[in-house]
Amino acid sequence: MNVESITFSRRPARRFWGWGAADAVLDDGERATVKSMVEQLGGRYAALAPPAVAEFELRAPRVAPPASLAAMFSKTPLDRLNHAYGKSYADCARMWLRRLHNPPDWVAFPDDEPAVVDILDWAACSNVAVIPFGGGTSVCGGVEPTVGDGFAGVISLNMERLGRVLEIDPLSRAARIQAGAFGPEIESQLRPHGLTLRHFPQSFEFSTLGGWIATRASGHYATQYTHIDDFVEATRMVTPSGVLQTRRLPASGAGPAPDRLVLGSEGTLGVITEAWMRLQDKPRFRASASIRFADYFTAARCVRALAQSGLNPTNCRLLDPMETVFSGIGDGRCAVLVLGFESADHPLQAWMERSLELVLDHGGEYDAAAVARSMESEGSKEHRRGAAGAWRKAFIRMPYWRDPAVGLGLIMDTFESAITWDRFESFYQSVKLEVQTAIQRMTGQESIISCRITHAYPDGVAPYFTIAVLGSPSGDVASALAAWREIKLAANAAVVGQAGTVTHHHAVGRDHRSGHELEMPGLFRQMLAAAKAVVDPTGILNPGALYDARSRSIGKCGVLCEHSEK
Ligand SMILES: Cc1cc2nc3c(=O)[nH]c(=O)nc-3n(C[C@H](O)[C@H](O)[C@H](O)COP(=O)(O)OP(=O)(O)OC[C@H]3O[C@@H](n4cnc5c(N)ncnc54)[C@H](O)[C@@H]3O)c2cc1C
């Protein structure tokens, strides 16, 4: 079935210096939350004027696109600023400092796949580095045009004009979707067919299918189908050496799978232009519960029991006491488990009832009437109310709170990992201690570190840490940023040193490379280098992300992008 052609207006303007929509504002309650957070951490609250485009001095573009492609290229200051950084703490801090060392020379907006081919051809012949760009929501330096000085120039390749669902196969329940489609665009084009991709990362509104595939993103469902990996049926990627198109198959045992190399390639092997994605029917039944536990590790054991039960809750998010305060659903005295089920096919009483037996075995407490209401009827909206609803609202709005706090000198950052159950408790304690010690050493301040379990597996768990601290006694942003670099390296070393992974879903980019190099077998890094040499022989694609593009040995870096700015 061919889907009717849809014309998109240009996307709503994004805020170049922080998270989300350019016209987003905090409401009074949110402003009060930010104020109290800044003051509790020893800072001084003030309303700051956000960075303006005119405050940035951008170097003149060092290269010019050929006349045949020029209509797809922009060098407006706003476009270049929008593509200068991703959306991490460090990106936001550098915007507050009005510090911009490596803007892209140009931003290309290809109209279609042949245009992507032409742009890569020109770039490879002209020694111009290319940064594939989806929504630019990377939080690990994935889209930053910091490529070293071996290139004539650098461009960002923005995929937003490739935003359509091209084809739907209702029998196999799959769709061919262009890589530049943002989350809401995908869902709005699938909705009339009663289908959903059901991939909801926190950044859903502003990130794209291509970005999700390139970073191996995970959605906010806690178990089973949550990684984009599970939804990919086939991919199509333009590389400087040709187009790689994989075959649509439900499964295959034909040797190493090519899609597995495309997934997580972080723009270093090619530009993903489209993918066949597995879909699901829209859920009709939901059940949810919010459960309090006096002790965090007992609650974690309950999560393990649930993850190993085969019940596969869609939500099974465990907030430690401090995280309940951040989310506005607790007072810091107990841990809260947000539990949920959904199905397009069947009511969920039996699943929820068995889960609550496991909860009671572990001493959890809940409001039975609220749980019953959540299961009352098809289409119940109970999961949007109570603690689960409050958590959901905070989950979506929290990135907006961070921006002003960063401008006032706070370091607010997150890092996430995954670890097997046998090591979880010591991992949690050791990582917290090591990072807290690094924060104290670098800032001299007391910090807050909270943790939530975002994803649960039968053999382990994904802990997601949030840190908040005043970056220096004076509260200035430059000192905070300098401290953050050391804290980030310490966090990378801590999670890998404690046998975890440097990232469960945020990807490697430039900022997690020091951990990735510790974690990955050297031989595998050489295999990656060999693959890169085949598809990108001149090393123009996203140099510096994931590994050093032009060093065939994929050597050590041990630095974050800020160190290597030129
Ligand atoms: C507030 C916030 C919440 C977040 N929540 C989540 C979450 O819940 N789950 C999660 O997994 N991540 C999350 N992230 C991280 C980020 O949203 C993901 O990494 C996302 O997958 C990036 O998608 P994007 O389209 O914005 O890609 P970009 O940021 O534009 O790019 C990310 C990487 O992918 C490459 N890339 C992008 N498009 C293509 C393409 N078409 N072909 C080849 N390479 C490409 C880029 O070169 C870069 O290396 C969050 C980030 C923020 C700021």
Side-chain angles (χ1 to χ4, degrees), residues 19 87 131-139 142-143 159 179 200-203 206-208 210-212 214-219 266-267 270-272 395 399 505-506 542 545:
W19 174 248
K87 299 296 172 197
I131 316 287
F133 190 100
T137 63
S138 168
V139 279
V143 289
M159 297 294 286
F200 300 117
Q202 189 185 16
S203 55
F206 298 101
S207 55
T208 62
W212 300 340
T215 59
R216 300 183 65 194
S218 67
E266 301 195 20
V271 179
I272 300 158
F395 181 69
H505 58 262
H506 280 167
N542 211 357

Side-chain angles (χ1 to χ4, degrees), residues 41-102:
L41 286 165
R44 274 211 308 274
Y45 183 80
L48 298 176
V53 174
E55 291 175 286
F56 292 82
E57 227 172 88
L58 302 180
R59 71 176 168 217
R62 296 163 295 175
V63 286
S68 57
L69 302 174
M72 289 181 287
F73 279 68
S74 164
K75 60 170 178 171
T76 67
L78 182 58
D79 275 334
R80 293 175 75 195
L81 284 170
N82 256 324
H83 295 78
Y85 293 130
K87 299 296 172 197
S88 71
Y89 157 78
D91 300 331
C92 185
R94 285 178 292 178
M95 284 297 186
W96 278 112
L97 289 169
R98 281 77 171 165
R99 188 187 288 178
L100 193 63
H101 297 293
N102 296 298

Side-chain angles (χ1 to χ4, degrees), residues 293-476:
F293 289 89
D295 175 63
Y296 181 59
F297 286 142
T298 310
R301 280 172 222 134
C302 179
V303 169
R304 172 159 57 87
L306 287 162
Q308 294 177 345
S309 66
L311 291 162
N312 293 322
T314 47
N315 203 350
C316 189
R317 201 166 281 252
L318 176 61
L319 283 58
D320 77 359
M322 184 51 73
E323 185 79 22
T324 68
V325 178
F326 274 143
S327 303
I329 63 168
D331 57 10
R333 280 186 296 189
C334 56
V336 173
L337 173 63
V338 182
L339 184 66
F341 289 89
E342 60 177 50
S343 168
D345 181 69
H346 46 260
L348 294 154
Q349 260 91 349
W351 280 259
M352 183 54 99
E353 279 164 16
R354 175 62 192 133
S355 297
L356 293 176
E357 285 174 9
L358 293 173
V359 162
L360 291 177
D361 289 348
H362 290 84
E365 291 175 8
Y366 55 89
D367 175 349
V371 179
R373 277 197 304 277
S374 82
M375 294 188 286
E376 250 165 32
S377 60
E378 191 179 325
S380 160
K381 293 272 182 271
E382 189 62 26
H383 64 292
R384 303 242 161 147
R385 300 193 188 100
W391 168 80
R392 192 174 175 280
K393 185 166 176 248
F395 181 69
I396 290 166
R397 290 294 299 176
M398 218 180 274
Y400 284 108
W401 309 350
R402 183 201 59 180
D403 294 348
V406 171
L408 293 166
L410 257 56
I411 299 174
M412 293 197 70
D413 198 13
T414 60
F415 60 97
E416 26 71 69
S417 184
I419 189 78
T420 48
W421 282 115
D422 60 319
R423 297 174 194 258
F424 168 64
E425 293 183 15
S426 65
F427 176 91
Y428 171 85
Q429 280 165 327
S430 306
V431 168
K432 256 180 101 164
L433 185 63
E434 284 178 45
V435 175
Q436 215 143 25
T437 308
I439 294 175
Q440 174 70 34
R441 190 176 66 246
M442 295 313 304
T443 65
Q445 305 291 309
E446 289 302 317
S447 58
I448 295 176
I449 302 191
S450 67
C451 181
R452 58 181 189 255
I453 287 178
T454 55
H455 300 83
Y457 305 93
D459 58 339
V461 71
Y464 184 109
F465 295 89
T466 300
I467 60 175
V469 63
L470 186 64
S472 72
S474 64
D476 73 290

